[in-house]
């Protein structure tokens, strides 16, 4: 009987393993199929006119989208990075993790992270475009994106700070350092890799977002924004615009550019994480 039960356990775990492998294979197949489709359809139509050409002509150009995307990255990170990192420092270094306040804050952050992006778009439209009178503008879209990426920065930074060994803090206190000096001179440098990675991944979220921007920045695909109060567009929005206005080849080509940019951002995040990690080990 023991042998029979043991064999059933082996068969059960073998079935679990097979199901997991099948799920992994389906995921990889779907990912590879999408990438191949975009590359095959888009690469033949990438040219200098599309990337940097005259955006006022009838021929599509990504120049306004590149400028608009840069504006959005700067605005979103300028707002979200200080608030997110400061919140994470407060949560990990200056509060009791078991207090009711911290539990409420963590629930709020998790809830904010789970809200669909189109809801952020509606919020940005109602608050910034209509109520505050910004109109369709990069500043309204950038602030909305900052709110959207804030949970990513808070959670990732807090996890990086909590991963720093407590012995480093105690050693700093033993040498007479204050709480503030210990936090900024010891803890933050050790958590730098995770913090940088979270910021770069937040940039990737900004670059690839479209639902929020449709309702906040105006999708001005033939005008280069002059300042943050101007209407604009982004690479993700251009995919939608080209695809829905009779430029399917240019939409696919824009998808290739966006795909390459997102992959590059993730690679940079990985590399910087390893570089800072090695630096921390060397310092240790």
């Amino acid at each position: 009987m023991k042998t029979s039960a043991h064999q059933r356990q082996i068969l059960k775990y073998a079935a679990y393993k097979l199901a997991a492998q099948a799920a992994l294979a389906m995921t990889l197949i779907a990912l590879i199929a999408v990438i191949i489709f975009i590359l095959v359809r888009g690469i033949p139509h990438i040219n200098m006119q599309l990337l940097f050409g005259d955006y006022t002509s009838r021929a599509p150009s990504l120049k306004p989208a590149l400028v608009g995307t840069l504006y959005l990255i700067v605005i979103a990170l300028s707002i979200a990075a200080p608030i997110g990192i400061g919140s994470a420092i407060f949560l990990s270094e200056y509060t009791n993790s078991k207090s009711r306040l911290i539990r409420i804050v963590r629930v709020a952050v998790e809830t904010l992270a789970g809200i669909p992006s189109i809801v952020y778009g509606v919020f940005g439209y109602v608050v910034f475009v209509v109520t505050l009178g910004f109109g369709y503008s990069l500043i309204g879209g950038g602030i909305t994106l900052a709110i959207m990426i804030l949970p990513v920065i808070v959670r990732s930074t807090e996890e990086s700070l909590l991963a720093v060994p407590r012995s480093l803090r105690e050693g700093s206190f033993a040498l007479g350092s204050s709480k503030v000096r210990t936090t900024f001179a010891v803890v933050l440098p050790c958590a730098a890799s995770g913090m940088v990675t979270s910021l770069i991944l937040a940039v990737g979220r900004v670059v690839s977002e479209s639902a929020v921007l449709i309702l906040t920045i105006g999708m001005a695909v033939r005008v280069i924004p002059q300042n943050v109060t101007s209407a604009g567009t982004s690479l993700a929005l251009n995919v939608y615009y080209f695809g829905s206005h009779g430029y399917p080849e240019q939409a696919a080509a824009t998808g290739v550019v966006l795909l390459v940019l997102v992959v590059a951002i993730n690679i940079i995040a990985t590399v910087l994480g390893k570089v800072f990690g090695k630096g921390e080990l060397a310092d240790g």
Side-chain angles (χ1 to χ4, degrees):
M1 294 181 62
K2 291 184 178 179
T3 303
S4 178
H6 181 65
Q7 289 176 344
R8 285 198 299 269
Q9 289 289 335
I10 293 176
L11 290 175
K12 183 173 70 173
Y13 289 122
Y16 289 158
K17 181 179 179 181
L18 183 61
Q21 291 174 340
L24 176 61
M26 292 176 63
T27 302
L28 291 177
I29 290 172
L31 175 63
I32 294 171
V34 171
I35 292 175
I36 290 176
F37 175 81
I38 294 175
L39 295 178
V40 171
R41 292 289 299 273
I43 288 179
H45 302 284
I46 296 178
N47 51 55
M48 293 304 295
Q49 165 58 35
L50 179 68
L51 295 176
F52 308 110
D54 182 11
Y55 53 90
T56 60
S57 65
R58 292 185 60 85
S61 173
L62 295 180
K63 196 172 182 179
L66 294 171
V67 176
T69 300
L70 181 60
Y71 267 112
L72 291 171
I73 291 172
V74 172
I75 295 170
L77 280 189
S78 298
I79 297 171
I83 297 175
I85 293 175
S87 299
I89 292 173
F90 175 78
L91 290 173
S92 65
E93 303 297 320
Y94 290 92
T95 58
N96 181 1
S97 60
K98 296 182 180 180
S99 68
R100 178 177 298 179
L101 173 63
I102 297 306
R103 290 201 300 268
I104 293 174
V105 170
R106 289 206 170 96
V107 170
V109 171
E110 294 295 332
T111 303
L112 200 61
I115 295 175
S117 59
I118 190 63
V119 177
Y120 284 104
V122 173
F123 169 81
Y125 175 79
V126 172
V127 174
F128 302 116
V129 177
V130 178
T131 304
L132 297 181
F134 289 177
Y136 290 114
S137 63
L138 293 170
I139 184 66
I143 296 174
T144 309
L145 286 173
I147 298 172
M148 189 181 70
I149 65 175
L150 192 58
V152 177
I153 297 176
V154 172
R155 290 190 302 180
S156 299
T157 303
E158 185 184 6
E159 289 174 2
S160 300
L161 293 171
L162 292 175
V164 176
R166 186 167 184 80
S167 59
L168 294 178
R169 297 176 175 84
E170 294 172 349
S172 179
F173 293 147
L175 293 174
S177 297
S178 64
K179 180 72 172 179
V180 175
R181 184 175 180 82
T182 298
T183 299
F184 286 91
V186 177
V187 178
L188 288 184
C190 291
S193 61
M195 294 166 60
V196 171
T197 300
S198 69
L199 293 178
I200 295 177
L201 293 178
V203 170
R205 183 79 183 273
V206 171
V207 168
S208 59
E209 186 54 50
S210 60
V212 169
L213 302 178
I214 289 177
L215 298 174
T216 54
I217 68 173
M219 203 158 54
V221 298
R222 298 189 184 278
V223 179
I224 288 186
Q226 300 301 313
N227 50 58
V228 296
T229 61
S230 303
T233 187
S234 70
L235 289 172
L237 279 187
N238 269 32
V239 174
Y240 167 76
Y241 178 85
F242 291 155
S244 59
H245 287 76
Y247 301 101
E249 295 84 4
Q250 286 75 13
T254 306
V256 173
V257 175
L258 187 59
L259 178 64
V260 170
L261 186 58
V262 171
V263 170
I265 288 172
N266 282 274
I267 292 175
I268 291 172
T270 302
V271 171
L272 287 179
K274 291 181 178 179
V275 169
F276 278 96
K278 291 179 180 178
E280 293 165 13
L281 290 175
D283 293 338

